[in-house]
């Protein structure tokens, strides 16, 4: 399986790992077909996202997409975060191998759910 | 002697393929260049090729205790399995249409049986138990008046368990005293060259082997077919291989297979040391990493395979993370298009979904060194810990790693 440098680097050095106990919003999503799982935690400031943490189980891009997302979210507005689409995430990850799109789908689903459950 | 260097790349996926032995390459080379004749030609070029092929056939026959004429050269393990299963089933169809195999055969046997089912054969898939073994009594009770073929693999490719082939062979011989047309095939692709394999001792009528699993070239294998067992050829054409497999013989690869067979026989005792190295790896992993499970029977198994499930993490992620450290292994978890296709072998052994997904196979060869195993032990715990730290399934880590911002 040929993974991009970005994906491999996040696998070797996953960012912002863990559960955020004072998160403003949190979601857990599971891909029922393969069992991959992402937990995403976000803390919001007045206008921007202050921080995000994650836990991820599954194949390489699932872990890396979740890790990448936590870094990308920092400093983004809610609007910017809501507008992140699967294809954009895939290109930020420098592409996904054939058959691995589901990893980006799951990461975006985690993001959308976390944003939806945010009650300012 | 203990080697002190740290290897930069370690290959522990020898059940997938092995490196070509340098002696094998040297033996093959002249047959690509000066001695390129067609073994069917009667001039000196052809006869040289024929002579080399005869020598290889003798070498392969010697490795497995067969007679010279009982060896059919084919393109590899898959073709050997196809030729045995389909060839015997089709040839003896008038005598019965029932085949017995197991749930954990290699796809070369499993899918061939499935395809024969579509042609009207009845196939019984025997279960395997938690220890990765079939039971002889299950074979016995599955045999009917209609059974013409039993195909059970010798050693499993994922967990390395060695099946009770000798006992099944004995059972088949007993039944054959009354019913002539019952045949027994075993896929020995994983065991040949790693553990003693003797077709007469095992009591099999057909046995598949493959060159690249014991330091021979890819694209070549052999089917042992006991004298008197007839098959429908699956590749028809000229009268090669005593009309059992048509097509101009791949002489360089056959020579390579023969040489690899001879080397395998000479080095068979080496595998006692390989078993010690494998046991050392298992022991140290047990000491260094908690919450793991060894898969497959500890006694009846190949000396070169360790199959271990690591709780809370996924095999592909572990495999790639190890690959980044220069260590090549394999996993029973293949996730693609958003659905995981777990190893049917581990599922058949009753492992939970998560333990199947977290399984890794380390497979050694006679070239594996202590230094390489020590390298594995120097990188594996850190990689497992990192992935577990990320995993939401790892509750223990969750408790200690809560962030506050």
């Amino acid at each position: 399986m040929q993974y991009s440098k970005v994906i491999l680097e996040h696998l070797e050095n996953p960012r912002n790992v863990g559960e955020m106990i004072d998160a403003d919003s949190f979601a857990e999503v599971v891909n029922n077909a393969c069992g991959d799982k992402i937990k995403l935690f976000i803390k919001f400031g007045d206008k921007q996202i202050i921080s995000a943490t994650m836990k991820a189980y599954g194949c390489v891009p699932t872990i890396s997409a979740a890790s990448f997302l936590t870094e990308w979210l920092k400093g983004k507005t809610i609007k910017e975060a809501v507008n992140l689409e699967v294809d954009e995430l895939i290109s930020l990850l420098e592409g996904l191998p054939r058959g691995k799109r589901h990893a980006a789908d799951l990461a975006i689903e985690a993001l959308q759910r976390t944003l939806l459950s945010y009650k300012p | 002697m203990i080697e002190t260097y740290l290897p930069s790349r370690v290959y522990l996926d020898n059940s997938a393929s092995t490196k070509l032995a340098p002696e094998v390459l040297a033996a093959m080379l002249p047959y690509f260049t000066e001695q390129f004749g067609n073994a069917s030609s009667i001039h000196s070029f052809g006869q040289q090729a024929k002579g080399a092929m005869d020598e290889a056939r003798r070498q392969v026959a010697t490795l497995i205790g067969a007679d010279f004429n009982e060896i059919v050269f084919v393109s590899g393990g898959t073709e050997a399995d196809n030729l045995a299963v389909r060839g015997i089933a089709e040839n003896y169809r008038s005598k019965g249409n029932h085949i017995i195999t197991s749930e954990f055969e290699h796809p070369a046997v499993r899918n061939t049986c499935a395809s024969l089912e579509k042609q009207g054969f009845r196939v019984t898939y025997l279960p395997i138990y938690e220890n990765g073994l079939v039971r002889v009594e299950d074979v016995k009770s599955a045999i009917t008046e209609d059974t013409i073929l039993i195909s059970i693999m010798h050693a499993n490719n994922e967990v390395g368990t060695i099946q009770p082939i000798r006992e099944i062979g004995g059972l088949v011989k007993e039944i054959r005293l009354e019913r002539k047309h019952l045949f027994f095939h075993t896929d020995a692709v994983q065991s040949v060259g790693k553990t003693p394999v003797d077709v007469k001792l095992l009591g099999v009528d057909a046995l598949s082997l493959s060159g690249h699993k014991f330091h021979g070239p890819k694209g070549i294998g052999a089917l042992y077919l006991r004298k008197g067992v007839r098959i429908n050829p699956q590749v028809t054409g000229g009268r090669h291989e005593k009309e059992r497999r048509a097509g101009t013989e791949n002489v360089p690869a056959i020579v390579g297979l023969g040489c690899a067979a001879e080397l395998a026989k000479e080095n068979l005792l080496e595998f006692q040391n390989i078993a010690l190295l494998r046991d050392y790896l298992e022991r140290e992993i047990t000491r260094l990493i908690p919450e793991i499970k060894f898969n497959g029977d500890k006694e009846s198994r190949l000396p070169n395979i360790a199959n271990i499930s690591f709780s809370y993490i996924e095999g592909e992620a572990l495999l790639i993370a190890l690959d980044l450290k220069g260590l090549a292994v394999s996993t029973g978890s293949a996730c693609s298009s958003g659905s995981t296709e777990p190893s049917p072998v581990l599922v058949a052994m009753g492992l939970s979904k998560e333990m199947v997904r977290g399984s890794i196979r380390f497979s050694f060869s006679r070239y594996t060194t202590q230094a390489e195993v020590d390298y594995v032990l120097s990188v594996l715990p850190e990689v497992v810990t990192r992935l577990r730290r990320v995993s939401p399934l790892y509750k223990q880590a969750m408790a200690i790693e809560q962030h506050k911002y």
Side-chain angles (χ1 to χ4, degrees):
Chain A
M1 193 70 69
Q2 201 66 44
Y3 288 117
S4 72
K5 278 187 183 157
V6 176
I7 290 176
L8 293 178
E9 202 276 319
H10 274 270
L11 178 72
E12 285 215 287
N13 307 291
R15 321 286 203 273
N16 306 308
V17 175
E19 310 225 325
M20 199 194 294
I21 47 172
D22 56 346
D24 294 313
S25 181
F26 139 83
E28 177 175 336
V29 291
V30 180
N31 177 334
N32 286 323
C34 70
D36 282 9
K37 186 185 260 190
I38 294 177
K39 276 183 168 185
L40 186 65
F41 302 80
I42 296 181
K43 185 154 188 68
F44 297 92
D46 287 343
K47 290 178 181 156
Q48 291 162 325
I49 290 169
I50 297 174
S51 63
T53 68
M54 64 89 189
K55 284 268 192 175
Y57 166 80
C59 54
V60 174
T62 299
I63 295 170
S64 298
S67 166
F68 180 90
L69 205 54
T70 59
E71 230 179 26
W72 183 88
L73 284 169
K74 200 170 177 179
K76 294 284 186 298
T77 63
I78 292 182
K79 198 177 168 199
E80 283 169 325
V82 166
N83 287 335
L84 180 65
E85 287 181 0
V86 174
D87 285 325
E88 194 186 345
L89 177 60
I90 291 174
S91 70
L92 289 167
L93 292 168
E94 292 178 358
L96 282 175
R98 226 181 129 90
K100 293 290 187 183
R101 188 185 168 86
H102 67 95
D105 287 340
L106 193 67
I108 292 295
E109 191 191 334
L111 175 60
Q112 298 292 351
R113 292 253 190 107
T114 313
L115 295 172
L116 272 175
S117 67
Y118 175 50
K119 304 276 180 283
Chain B
M1 196 183 87
I2 295 170
E3 289 160 84
T4 48
Y5 74 97
L6 263 192
S8 59
R9 281 179 88 206
V10 174
Y11 184 80
L12 286 186
D13 197 13
N14 289 283
S15 293
S17 194
T18 57
K19 79 168 177 184
L20 197 73
E23 299 93 324
V24 172
L25 178 64
M28 289 171 73
L29 286 175
Y31 295 92
F32 287 107
T33 51
E34 299 95 37
Q35 299 178 41
F36 53 83
N38 184 325
S40 300
S41 303
I42 54 175
H43 49 59
S44 63
F45 288 84
Q47 289 312 295
Q48 271 178 343
K50 173 81 166 47
M53 229 168 65
D54 285 351
E55 172 65 3
R57 202 182 302 275
R58 191 191 55 74
Q59 288 166 317
V60 173
T62 304
L63 176 64
I64 58 169
D67 291 336
F68 180 87
N69 284 323
E70 293 176 320
I71 302 298
V72 185
F73 289 123
V74 294
S75 65
T78 293
E79 191 189 334
D81 285 343
N82 269 265
L83 183 56
V85 174
R86 213 186 288 275
I88 290 174
E90 287 176 2
N91 193 76
Y92 291 96
R93 189 159 202 180
S94 62
K95 312 291 180 193
N97 81 331
H98 180 227
I99 299 167
I100 298 169
T101 186
S102 82
E103 276 175 357
F104 82 150
E105 294 302 308
H106 187 276
V109 167
R110 208 172 50 229
N111 291 340
T112 303
C113 286
S115 135
L116 287 169
E117 268 184 297
K118 285 185 190 149
Q119 293 169 35
F121 283 94
R122 196 165 62 79
V123 180
T124 301
Y125 297 89
L126 297 177
I128 53 158
Y129 294 86
E130 211 174 306
N131 59 0
L133 295 170
V134 295
R135 288 185 184 162
V136 185
E137 55 263 37
D138 286 351
V139 179
K140 196 173 182 178
S141 55
I143 296 173
T144 69
E145 285 292 302
D146 222 17
T147 311
I148 49 169
L149 176 66
I150 300 170
S151 179
I152 310 275
M153 66 168 36
H154 188 205
N156 180 262
N157 49 315
E158 292 187 44
V159 289
T161 46
I162 298 175
Q163 302 301 318
I165 297 303
R166 204 169 160 173
E167 290 78 357
I168 301 170
L171 175 71
V172 168
K173 273 187 188 164
E174 225 172 84
I175 292 171
R176 208 152 46 204
L177 294 173
E178 292 165 17
R179 277 196 51 227
K180 211 174 139 198
H181 302 291
L182 174 64
F183 302 97
F184 181 29
H185 164 251
T186 190
D187 174 337
V189 164
Q190 289 296 340
S191 55
V192 167
K194 286 145 202 163
T195 192
V197 173
D198 184 298
V199 290
K200 306 244 159 39
L201 276 178
L202 292 175
V204 292
D205 303 300
L207 176 145
S208 308
L209 62 90
S210 169
H212 75 107
K213 304 290 190 188
F214 54 95
H215 308 290
K218 292 175 180 62
I220 191 72
L223 177 68
Y224 154 78
L225 204 59
R226 183 174 60 79
K227 195 179 170 205
V229 180
R230 303 181 65 85
I231 46 162
N232 260 20
Q234 301 300 308
V235 181
T236 48
R239 314 181 78 179
H240 311 86
E241 296 297 300
K242 296 199 181 303
E243 295 185 63
R244 293 171 295 190
R245 201 270 193 183
T248 298
E249 297 88 348
N250 183 355
V251 177
I254 289 171
V255 167
L257 177 66
C259 181
E262 189 159 315
L263 289 170
K265 194 161 177 65
E266 282 168 17
N267 290 297
L268 211 49
L269 283 178
E270 282 281 305
F271 274 93
Q272 291 178 356
N273 297 327
I274 295 304
L276 292 178
L277 264 188
R278 187 266 321 267
D279 295 347
Y280 166 70
L281 175 81
E282 289 189 339
R283 215 167 40 242
E284 287 301 295
I285 289 180
T286 309
R287 193 172 65 80
L288 296 166
I289 306 173
E291 300 194 74
I292 55 168
K293 180 184 185 306
F294 294 104
N295 301 316
D297 194 85
K298 279 265 187 179
E299 300 302 320
S300 185
R301 62 167 171 166
L302 290 177
N304 72 315
I305 291 183
N307 189 304
I308 307 171
S309 289
F310 297 86
S311 302
Y312 315 119
I313 55 183
E314 204 267 345
E316 193 220 67
L318 184 50
L319 185 153
I320 298 289
L322 291 172
D323 192 36
L324 289 169
K325 303 274 186 199
L327 170 60
V329 295
S330 78
T331 173
S333 151
C335 172
S336 80
S337 304
S339 72
T340 298
E341 289 163 25
S343 147
V345 173
L346 297 175
V347 171
M349 284 169 59
L351 263 75
S352 71
K353 238 186 206 173
E354 192 205 318
M355 289 310 253
V356 173
R357 279 198 89 183
S359 73
I360 290 285
R361 179 188 69 188
F362 302 87
S363 51
F364 297 54
S365 82
R366 64 173 186 258
Y367 295 109
T368 306
T369 64
Q370 171 86 38
E372 289 177 326
V373 177
D374 283 333
Y375 180 70
V376 176
L377 294 167
S378 74
V379 297
L380 185 65
E382 183 264 316
V383 172
V384 170
T385 305
R386 187 206 318 153
L387 292 174
R388 282 184 175 169
R389 193 171 75 87
V390 177
S391 172
L393 311 182
Y394 195 40
K395 309 286 181 204
Q396 205 183 325
M398 242 161 74
I400 52 171
E401 205 158 350
Q402 291 182 330
H403 290 253
K404 199 163 180 182
Y405 289 85

